[in-house]
Amino acid sequence: MPNNKEKVCIIGAGPAGLSCAMYLEKKGYTDYKIYEKLNKVGGKCWSPKMKVKHNGVEEERSFETGAIMGAITYHAVSEMEEFGGYYHKGPDFKEGEPNMRREFRKLDGTIDHPFEPKVNFSFKKTFGLLKLKKQMKKLNHLMQTKYYGYDCYGHIGVAKGEYFGISKGVDGYCGATKENSFPNYVKGTNPNLKDLALPFSEFCKINGVEEVQRIWIAPFTSFGYGFFDEIPAALVMKYLDVTTALEFVNMKLWTWQDGTQQIYVHVNEKLKHPAILETEVVKVERPEGKVLVTTRGKDGKEKTEEFDKLIVTTPLDYFINYADATKEEKELFSKIIHERYCDYIATFDEGKSPVISGYMVENMVPERLGHAMVYYNRWQCLGNDCPATVYALANHTGTPDVDFDVVMKTMDEDMKKVGFPIKEKHYAQEVYYCPHVSSEDYQNGWYDRLEALQGTKNTYYAGEIISFGDMEDTCAASKDIVGRFF
Ligand SMILES: Cc1cc2nc3c(=O)[nH]c(=O)nc-3n(C[C@H](O)[C@H](O)[C@H](O)COP(=O)(O)OP(=O)(O)OC[C@H]3O[C@@H](n4cnc5c(N)ncnc54)[C@H](O)[C@@H]3O)c2cc1C
């Protein structure tokens, strides 16, 4: 029986940690602490304000270094919005709101129209688009039939041909109401689901839908989630399930006026115990029945406290370095791979900034590692003087990593070549991104071993690794973990 009098420690105040606290409160837990090493909440949802000129007048606007968008399938994020009282804009944007428009730009600077049959008409293009449409329909059908059960959050049982979790469908609240947030789970057997352990490119091949990668690549690879020859199909399809992928195609997306970080700032303000900032968890010891957590505050002093339970929402491959990790934890968590996603917000030479976001599809291949894959224009009303965020990946399995400094320089050169010379870079960063395991480890039941570990030594694992590295999957993972174990 859950005991909501227990004292719980949560490591990390990103979307995962704060949603864990919210769901704990919904279950009546009041004795919890969230430790955050930085001086801000939101983790990779970081929305700094910058001074810009609008109609000749200086004003402050929010920009994004991390998460930007959501979609109709963002159910757990909706619960966070409701809790914090801060809501998204879109999918239909009004004047003065951030926008989600985008174009496709070739490396010679010209604009491409890969999905518009009438622009630059050719029979080859028309034939290609017809093939793509047919394969999209086929994939949609396969996911509803052959791969039934694929679209619940998390990976429990998939390697064994089973599914278990909270359903992600459009009506995916699965019975959750304002009064009772904890939904019914879906559960079943489907041996075909084992195919989802394959790299996405292979999964498409065995199903005769290779063309669909043209659609999936922009919101996947350019968003830093890796390349299709290395990432298990389960990760691709759980994040970009058919409904969500079509929302991207049809530009039916959400974004937040003051940035995604504000979702979490608002939630944090409403929590009974807001996150304790600038306090890093540096040691975890778990003698029989207890959890001892040592933190280091901004004064550099260390303090050890006793808890009943621990929720780790931070990278598990780092957790084993500061915790009394068991043999199984060490073995399992050292298999985690993460992407090295790099970005910066740029200001451009006067009148030379992009006026719409752009995908550079030619750079979304491992051979072009470290090159700019996408740039994000947030404020249409600022015209060609709007700062933009530029993004690149620095790693791919089987290709040497690219150094951060080289990535930065390469992105500058790319942007100049396509017509957007960078004046200054702001907030340049490389992030630990999209933790996952290889197809082989997936196939060998890595996620089921993780599930079996939940609760041992009073420790629970949440965050990006559970399902996928986006806001919705991480918040839904918190709902799942708190829902089942607390
Ligand atoms: C460039 C970029 C674009 C993105 N775009 C989108 C998007 O459009 N839509 C979307 O849904 N998602 C997007 N994401 C992904 C999304 O931001 C992440 O999936 C989400 O933030 C993960 O939440 P988390 O809480 O699991 O981890 P994090 O956000 O990484 O938070 C973890 C927190 O733990 C803290 N921490 C770590 N170690 C310790 C320790 N030892 N002690 C105390 N605190 C610690 C960290 O400082 C951090 O604040 C994007 C991310 C990036 C970087």
Side-chain angles (χ1 to χ4, degrees), residues 11-17 35-38 42-45 65-69 74 225 279-281 313-314 322 341 343 391 431 433 463-464 469-472 474:
I11 313 182
Y35 289 114
E36 168 54 54
K37 70 175 176 186
L38 301 179
K44 288 193 280 277
C45 299
T65 58
I68 298 166
M69 62 195 86
Y74 272 43
Y225 293 125
T279 307
E280 181 174 1
V281 174
T313 74
T314 48
Y322 60 84
Y341 198 32
D343 68 4
Y391 309 81
V431 289
Y433 199 65
E464 296 183 295
D470 66 20
M471 297 190 290
E472 172 60 15
T474 47

Side-chain angles (χ1 to χ4, degrees), residues 145-159:
T145 52
K146 182 176 176 188
Y147 296 112
Y148 184 80
Y150 83 100
D151 62 347
C152 51
Y153 297 93
H155 304 273
I156 298 171
V158 176

Side-chain angles (χ1 to χ4, degrees), residues 23 29 46 85 147 198 288 302 331 377 397 404 413 481:
Y23 288 120
Y29 282 76
W46 180 26
Y147 296 112
L198 294 169
E288 197 55 42
E302 292 193 1
E331 210 257 304
N377 164 280
T397 316
F404 178 73
E413 287 163 4
I481 301 303

Side-chain angles (χ1 to χ4, degrees), residues 50-61 381-382 385:
M50 285 175 69
K51 284 205 169 82
V52 290
K53 278 242 165 86
H54 182 214
N55 296 331
V57 181
E58 195 169 78
E59 55 181 66
E60 273 203 327
R61 297 250 168 178
C381 55
L382 298 184
D385 274 320

